[in-house]
Amino acid sequence: FFFYYLELGNYQTTFNESRRAIEYFEKVLFLIQESETAKKTVEKQYGLSRLYSRLGVNILNIKDCSQASRYFTKSIEQIKNRTDKMAVKRIVQNLTSIGSIYSERNLYDTATYYYEQADSLLDIAIASAADANAFFHQKRHILWHAGANALNRGDLDQAKRYFLEVLEKFSVEDRQWDDVGTLFYLGIIAEEQNDWPSALYYNHLGIIALCRTFNNPDYLQLPALEDFRELGYTYRLLNQKARYLSLSAQQEADSVKKARHLEAAIRTVDLFDQVHNRGLKKMNILRDGQNTTIIETSLMNYKEGISIAHRDHRSQTSQEVIEKGFYYTQNMKSQHLWMNLLMSEATTHGNVPETFV
């Protein structure tokens, strides 16, 4: 049965169904604790280190940081004396994950310690590896986390250095997820420094990296809904873009340019709305995981939409803009309803009817 549970755990992990994945992996743990034969078989054909690491990842997804850290540490203990490529990669991954846990707890120096441990181990592996490119993605991953840690600490210059190092070999063709997150945070740094041209530039590059074919350098242009490949950063980048366009419009003295920025901001909020509606059809809105984050991002987006519509209406009285503002208001109400359902543990009453969604 344990291989059946392992496969189900892997399957649920793939679809971010963390609680279900944990249930299956814990069934495997129970079986190997009961049977030495089962333990040896799992170790030989799957790997206890891999099992502990998978548990850590899923437990971290449900925000149980202490338990996740324990499993990452157990995973490292299983393979700490190995020097093969797969073992080094897993140790580095686990050290980076532990670092991210401490960064989330605002223990930035401890987080830095784990990132430096991971980076040092990786440098040794790269120096002796026949194919150094095999570790390239993990190197970028460590730099990304170090940049996020510096940003959370408030050290904007250090964060920017880390993120720019991640982007040294960035190309649109690669479209790495590290690049998307890096560009998003570079936008935030530029925003903090009131550098709106750079903020819009990095945001637009992030949107390009999220898409299959879209490659228009004009930041006032948007991709088609079908071109997006992933949900999480799509929400964040579109929300960010609408805010940046709105703020840059406020500072724009030219009335024509101001109107163009506000129009692009409205179109961005509308595109977010389309992406959000498509996302609801693909997922159970009450599942565990990212749902609360998505709802909070949606609330920010529709709130931004109301603000943009208000400013647009003041600059050019338009019935269409009034209707947009009303529509965003109704969407804000629905998102507040979803949040209240989640906070009241409405999941215990079963799935929401498709018609309601």
Side-chain angles (χ1 to χ4, degrees), residues 29-189:
L29 280 183
F30 174 78
L31 288 172
I32 63 177
Q33 287 168 359
E34 294 293 308
S35 168
E36 189 64 29
T37 302
K39 182 177 181 179
K40 290 180 179 178
T41 305
V42 170
E43 171 58 31
K44 182 178 179 180
Q45 299 189 31
Y46 188 82
L48 289 175
S49 174
R50 184 182 176 192
L51 173 61
Y52 292 139
S53 184
R54 285 294 179 97
L55 261 168
V57 167
N58 283 286
I59 290 172
L60 185 58
N61 285 343
I62 63 170
K63 309 302 183 185
D64 187 348
C65 294
S66 297
Q67 184 76 337
S69 182
R70 282 194 288 272
Y71 277 116
F72 288 135
T73 302
K74 290 182 76 169
S75 175
I76 293 170
E77 285 295 317
Q78 295 293 318
I79 54 174
K80 63 183 180 181
N81 295 322
R82 285 171 49 184
T83 57
D84 58 281
K85 183 171 72 174
M86 289 306 299
V88 171
K89 281 189 168 185
R90 185 165 296 131
I91 292 172
V92 167
Q93 177 187 338
N94 289 329
L95 287 170
T96 306
S97 296
I98 294 171
S100 70
I101 289 171
Y102 282 107
S103 185
E104 285 280 330
R105 293 173 168 175
N106 301 327
L107 299 171
Y108 305 120
D109 290 339
T110 307
T112 299
Y113 167 79
Y114 280 99
Y115 295 145
E116 288 176 348
Q117 289 286 307
D119 195 43
S120 175
L121 181 60
L122 203 58
D123 284 342
I124 293 171
I126 289 171
S128 59
D131 180 16
N133 288 331
F135 299 101
F136 179 68
H137 178 71
Q138 279 195 299
K139 184 74 171 178
R140 290 158 55 94
H141 196 57
I142 295 170
L143 288 169
W144 186 91
H145 278 281
N149 188 54
L151 181 59
N152 291 336
R153 194 205 302 257
D155 189 343
L156 298 183
D157 292 333
Q158 178 73 347
K160 188 173 183 177
R161 283 193 291 271
Y162 278 125
F163 288 138
L164 289 176
E165 191 173 350
V166 173
L167 291 182
E168 274 183 358
K169 296 184 179 180
F170 169 73
S171 69
V172 173
E173 289 73 22
D174 289 338
R175 300 173 188 268
Q176 297 283 344
W177 299 128
D178 282 350
D179 292 323
V180 176
T182 300
L183 291 161
F184 173 78
Y185 284 114
L186 280 168
I188 289 177
I189 293 170

Side-chain angles (χ1 to χ4, degrees), residues 286-302:
L286 292 181
R287 79 177 185 188
D288 296 305
Q290 293 182 321
N291 50 335
T292 303
T293 302
I294 290 173
I295 291 173
E296 288 173 346
T297 307
S298 301
L299 284 168
M300 288 190 293
N301 186 71
Y302 294 129

Side-chain angles (χ1 to χ4, degrees), residues 71 116 143 148 218 222 225 251 253 295 299 333 339 348:
Y71 277 116
E116 288 176 348
L143 288 169
D218 183 357
L222 290 165
L225 169 66
Q251 300 184 6
I295 291 173
L299 284 168
K333 290 178 181 177
M339 185 65 78
T348 58

